[in-house]
């Protein structure tokens, strides 16, 4: 789901999971400035700049409405050869979506925002022009949707990637049902169910980024991309590869999940959330215990929806995944847990959501099935 953003009062290092969730939740006030997103043409490149650094470049409904038609126009323009997307400020590419007032049940915004956001993400996923996302800094929720479906994703040492939606009564949307189950082994299941964060080169090693470039070199890379004459996807790949090869930061560092992969693949292959929890308990390692602690804080309903989303999405087209996720988004908006997540983290700030149902065993298969049912005339049309 689109994340809501809260500015951290300190630097990013002390981020723990709760701060990530807070990060994900804050509903930001719209500013009416057209400068929330800058859409420029430089040379043969169309450049999208997310320009809300004070709220970590949270993606507002208005920004979506501006970016979508511009991508479509550039796609048709014979003088535009590639599209670059980036964020302003030192901290974030885009920490997520900004669904204003989504805490009010029945608000049409919850229908419109998800529908338009998924249309934009699908436009990125089907874009005929090479699309380069510079994911420098926090990249979560809606920010993942703006980047992960494009041809090229350039991570840096500052990149922090996470999908922590299950902690607020939602599920990892923006096409999470497509890209997460396609990651190596069961890495996608771990990310989706626990909100596990990947940093820096690990975002590349997990298969989310395609390239890794030093943050300070991005302005130079961007200039070189713009300077390419009538570039093909191959030319762009060659340029990105050359920057990637020159980047030595953390080159020798082992992938953070390497030593745990056998465990992750075994545990997260289980057929149900109850079985995953059981396997984590039986494993008993410090890594498994930490993931179990995270899962125990999540919405049981969200966990069950997410596991099914990943299983179904593994064999679906991207378009069918967005249709499925739109149905799930509307089910979450009809339900209890999302609003309780908002209450616990934002309104009362007691950090103690009272999920309903409170236990995995109480979330029936029939309830889960209903969340995946078609919405008739209200289904997402791509």
């Amino acid at each position: 789901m689109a994340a809501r953003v809260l500015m951290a009062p300190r630097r990013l290092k002390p981020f723990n999971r709760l701060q990530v969730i807070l990060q994900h939740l804050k509903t930001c006030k719209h500013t009416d400035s057209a400068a929330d997103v800058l859409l420029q043409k430089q040379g043969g490149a169309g450049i999208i700049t997310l320009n809300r650094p004070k709220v970590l470049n949270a993606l507002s409904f208005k920004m979506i409405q501006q970016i979508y038609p511009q991508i479509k126009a550039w796609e048709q323009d014979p003088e535009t050869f590639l599209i670059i997307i980036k964020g302003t400020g030192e901290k974030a590419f885009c920490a997520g979506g900004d669904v204003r007032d989504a805490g009010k049940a029945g608000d049409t915004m919850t229908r419109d925002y998800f529908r338009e956001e998924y249309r934009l993400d699908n436009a990125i996923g089907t874009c005929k022009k090479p699309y380069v996302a510079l994911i420098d800094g926090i990249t979560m929720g809606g920010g993942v949707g703006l980047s992960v479906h494009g041809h090229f994703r350039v991570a840096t040492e500052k990149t922090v990637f996470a999908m922590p939606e299950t902690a607020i009564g939602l599920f990892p949307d923006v096409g999470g049902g497509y890209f997460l189950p396609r990651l190596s082994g069961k890495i996608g299941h771990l990310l989706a169910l626990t909100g596990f964060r990947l940093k820096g080169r690990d975002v590349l090693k997990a298969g989310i980024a395609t390239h890794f470039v030093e943050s300070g070199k991005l302005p130079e890379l961007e200039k070189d991309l713009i300077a390419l004459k009538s570039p093909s996807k191959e030319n762009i790949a060659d340029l990105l590869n050359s920057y990637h090869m020159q980047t030595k930061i953390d080159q020798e560092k082992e992938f953070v999940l390497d030593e745990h992969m056998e465990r992750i693949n075994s545990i997260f292959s289980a057929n149900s959330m109850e079985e995953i929890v059981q396997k984590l308990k039986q494993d008993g390692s410090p890594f498994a215990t930490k993931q179990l602690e995270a899962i125990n804080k999540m919405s049981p309903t969200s966990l069950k929806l997410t596991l099914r989303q990943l299983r179904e999405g593994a064999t679906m087209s991207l378009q069918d995944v967005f249709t499925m996720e739109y149905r799930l988004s509307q089910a979450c908006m009809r339900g209890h847990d999302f609003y309780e997540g908002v209450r616990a983290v934002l309104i009362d700030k007691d950090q103690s959501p009272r999920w309903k149902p409170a236990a995995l065993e109480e979330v029936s298969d029939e309830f889960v099935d209903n969340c995946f049912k078609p919405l008739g005339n209200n289904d997402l049309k791509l």
Side-chain angles (χ1 to χ4, degrees), residues 6 8 12 15 23 56-57 90-96 135-140 143 158-162:
L6 181 66
L12 288 177
F15 253 166
Q23 185 78 36
L56 303 182
N57 298 322
E90 295 292 306
K91 292 182 177 174
F93 164 66
C94 172
I135 55 170
D136 190 29
I138 301 169
T139 304
M140 296 185 192
K158 292 183 180 175
T159 305
V160 181
F161 173 98

Side-chain angles (χ1 to χ4, degrees), residues 17 29 50 62 128 140 203 205 245 264 271-272 276 292 319 333:
R17 275 199 174 110
K29 295 293 178 198
L50 309 173
K62 184 178 171 187
K128 292 179 181 67
M140 296 185 192
V203 180
K205 290 180 176 171
M245 296 306 286
I264 290 166
N271 290 318
S272 68
I276 288 171
L292 181 62
Q319 289 68 42
M333 294 305 111

Side-chain angles (χ1 to χ4, degrees), residues 134-161:
L134 306 177
I135 55 170
D136 190 29
I138 301 169
T139 304
M140 296 185 192
V144 175
L146 289 176
S147 55
V148 78
H149 305 297
H151 303 102
F152 303 107
R153 287 90 63 192
V154 182
T156 76
E157 72 277 12
K158 292 183 180 175
T159 305
V160 181
F161 173 98

Side-chain angles (χ1 to χ4, degrees), residues 284-297:
S285 67
F287 177 81
T289 303
K290 204 170 178 185
Q291 306 326 308
L292 181 62
E293 282 168 11
I295 281 174
N296 283 338
K297 291 177 182 152

Side-chain angles (χ1 to χ4, degrees), residues 92-276:
F93 164 66
C94 172
D98 173 7
V99 188
R100 193 168 50 132
D101 300 327
K104 298 175 187 170
D107 191 335
T108 58
M109 175 56 93
T110 57
R111 287 204 304 271
D112 299 343
Y113 185 99
F114 288 103
R115 187 180 62 241
E116 297 308 316
E117 183 181 25
Y118 296 174
R119 279 181 73 218
L120 170 56
D121 295 338
N122 183 60
I124 292 164
T126 57
C127 190
K128 292 179 181 67
K129 299 286 169 79
Y131 183 96
V132 182
L134 306 177
I135 55 170
D136 190 29
I138 301 169
T139 304
M140 296 185 192
V144 175
L146 289 176
S147 55
V148 78
H149 305 297
H151 303 102
F152 303 107
R153 287 90 63 192
V154 182
T156 76
E157 72 277 12
K158 292 183 180 175
T159 305
V160 181
F161 173 98
M163 297 291 279
E165 291 83 355
T166 53
I168 52 168
L170 288 162
F171 61 97
D173 66 340
V174 298
Y178 183 82
F179 82 87
L180 288 164
R182 284 166 173 79
L183 297 177
S184 174
K186 294 293 176 183
I187 287 175
H189 286 62
L190 171 77
L191 297 175
L193 296 168
T194 70
F196 190 93
R197 280 179 307 129
L198 295 168
K199 298 175 192 173
R201 206 178 270 269
D202 287 335
V203 180
L204 172 81
K205 290 180 176 171
I208 292 153
T210 58
H211 295 82
F212 183 77
V213 174
E214 194 177 330
S215 179
K217 292 280 172 64
L218 289 184
E220 192 185 323
L221 170 60
E222 192 184 331
K223 273 185 199 150
D224 285 349
L225 284 167
I226 292 164
L228 288 171
K229 301 292 177 210
S230 314
S232 64
K233 215 177 279 182
E234 289 71 30
N235 300 143
I236 292 164
D238 288 346
L239 179 61
L240 293 172
N241 288 341
S242 72
Y243 271 84
H244 173 82
M245 296 306 286
Q246 291 163 30
T247 308
K248 306 300 181 199
I249 296 168
D250 291 338
Q251 206 172 20
E252 305 305 316
K253 202 174 145 199
E254 196 181 310
F255 178 41
V256 68
L257 295 176
D258 256 356
E259 61 179 301
H260 308 297
M261 277 314 299
E262 202 177 319
R263 178 174 276 127
I264 290 166
N265 293 342
S266 166
I267 290 170
F268 288 93
S269 294
N271 290 318
S272 68
M273 271 314 304
E274 289 91 340
E275 204 182 323
I276 288 171

Side-chain angles (χ1 to χ4, degrees), residues 339-354:
Y339 305 101
E340 174 59 8
V342 170
R343 180 207 67 74
V345 180
L346 270 188
I347 300 167
D348 299 340
K349 298 182 181 173
D350 57 25
Q351 320 310 337
S352 303
R354 292 186 285 277

Side-chain angles (χ1 to χ4, degrees), residues 277-290:
V277 167
Q278 193 54 42
K279 284 189 159 197
L280 285 168
K281 283 179 182 166
Q282 283 167 353
D283 183 282
S285 67
F287 177 81
T289 303
K290 204 170 178 185

